[in-house]
Amino acid sequence: MNLSHLSQSQIVVAAAVVIVILLIVAAVIWASRRMHLRSMRKRYGPEYDRLVVEMGSRKRAEARLAERERRVSQYDIRPLSEADRTRYMQAWKNVQARFVDDPGEAVGDADELLGKAMATRGYPMSDFDRRSADLSVHYPVVAQNYRSAHDVALRHRDGKATTEDLRQAMIHYRALFEEVVTDDHKQDSRRAA
């Protein structure tokens, strides 16, 4: 390209136009990434940030979340019948009542009851990590609570959990229990909203 016939002012204008175009493209890319990040955080809550740290990159974390969604979409997740819901709610009241006399046993019972409710809903009951990952697809905020409560239950088994730890675990279990037992939505309803 022969630039000798262009005046210096034309070159400056052309350079300014190129710079403005590059700035606009950069701003669009930046805004798009911000919107994507906001969308992922809204959809997955603290689970997104936890996975980014664990996986070491956003791209790998997002791939892992997509893998979870594909896996969970194959499950037959269903709402509880009214009879099951009533039965589980009564059982939960009993577990909470036992907390006063035996907090450690109540936490263990809460974990077991939650597992039964999840199984009734259609969640596979394989190892804990898989179960908590599966739960994070539909319940990203309370899945974090589930991990915390489970950690306390394990520490209690080793004699390392305080009564306050056990109380906090019950609060976490209750939050997830209420979501699992009272949620009438099928597996993809949260994404459809």
Side-chain angles (χ1 to χ4, degrees), residues 83-132:
D84 283 337
R85 184 183 336 267
T86 300
R87 182 172 47 89
Y88 282 121
M89 293 301 281
Q90 184 56 51
W92 181 259
K93 287 178 184 176
N94 294 338
V95 167
Q96 281 187 288
R98 282 196 304 278
F99 184 82
V100 173
D101 295 327
D102 193 346
E105 187 168 323
V107 166
D109 291 347
D111 186 61
E112 184 179 326
L113 182 61
L114 181 58
K116 288 177 182 177
M118 290 166 50
T120 303
R121 291 276 319 266
Y123 286 95
M125 298 310 293
S126 57
D127 65 275
F128 173 79
D129 291 330
R130 175 80 173 256
R131 194 167 54 239
S132 64

Side-chain angles (χ1 to χ4, degrees), residues 4 6 22 28 31 66 72-73 140 158-159 175 177:
S4 62
L6 294 177
L22 289 175
V28 168
V72 171
S73 73
D158 296 337
F177 181 82

Side-chain angles (χ1 to χ4, degrees), residues 49-57 60 64 68 147:
D49 291 326
R50 188 191 72 76
L51 263 183
V52 169
V53 169
E54 181 181 303
M55 305 297 297
S57 85
R60 286 195 298 246
R64 175 69 54 90
R68 285 181 188 176
R147 286 186 188 91

Side-chain angles (χ1 to χ4, degrees), residues 36-170:
H36 176 73
L37 179 59
R38 193 173 305 130
S39 170
M40 294 301 285
R41 284 185 170 146
K42 182 178 179 185
R43 185 172 181 179
Y44 296 106
E47 184 66 7
Y48 178 74
D49 291 326
R50 188 191 72 76
L51 263 183
V52 169
V53 169
E54 181 181 303
M55 305 297 297
S57 85
R58 294 189 189 289
K59 187 175 182 177
R60 286 195 298 246
E62 290 172 15
R64 175 69 54 90
L65 289 167
E67 173 189 313
R68 285 181 188 176
E69 283 199 16
R70 279 190 299 278
R71 182 178 66 234
V72 171
S73 73
Q74 303 301 311
Y75 300 161
D76 180 24
I77 308 298
R78 58 203 169 274
L80 293 174
S81 69
E82 195 55 43
D84 283 337
R85 184 183 336 267
T86 300
R87 182 172 47 89
Y88 282 121
M89 293 301 281
Q90 184 56 51
W92 181 259
K93 287 178 184 176
N94 294 338
V95 167
Q96 281 187 288
R98 282 196 304 278
F99 184 82
V100 173
D101 295 327
D102 193 346
E105 187 168 323
V107 166
D109 291 347
D111 186 61
E112 184 179 326
L113 182 61
L114 181 58
K116 288 177 182 177
M118 290 166 50
T120 303
R121 291 276 319 266
Y123 286 95
M125 298 310 293
S126 57
D127 65 275
F128 173 79
D129 291 330
R130 175 80 173 256
R131 194 167 54 239
S132 64
D134 290 347
L135 277 171
S136 74
V137 171
H138 296 127
Y139 309 105
V141 174
V142 290
Q144 192 71 20
N145 292 346
Y146 187 38
R147 286 186 188 91
S148 296
H150 185 72
D151 180 56
V152 170
L154 294 177
R155 285 188 295 144
H156 174 68
R157 249 191 315 204
D158 296 337
K160 297 178 181 175
T162 66
T163 302
E164 178 57 25
D165 293 336
L166 294 169
R167 186 188 71 76
Q168 195 62 46
M170 283 297 288

Side-chain angles (χ1 to χ4, degrees), residues 167-186:
R167 186 188 71 76
Q168 195 62 46
M170 283 297 288
I171 291 169
H172 290 321
Y173 278 130
R174 182 179 59 220
L176 180 55
F177 181 82
E178 287 174 355
E179 287 280 337
V180 168
V181 172
T182 63
D183 185 11
D184 288 331
H185 298 88
K186 293 203 183 252

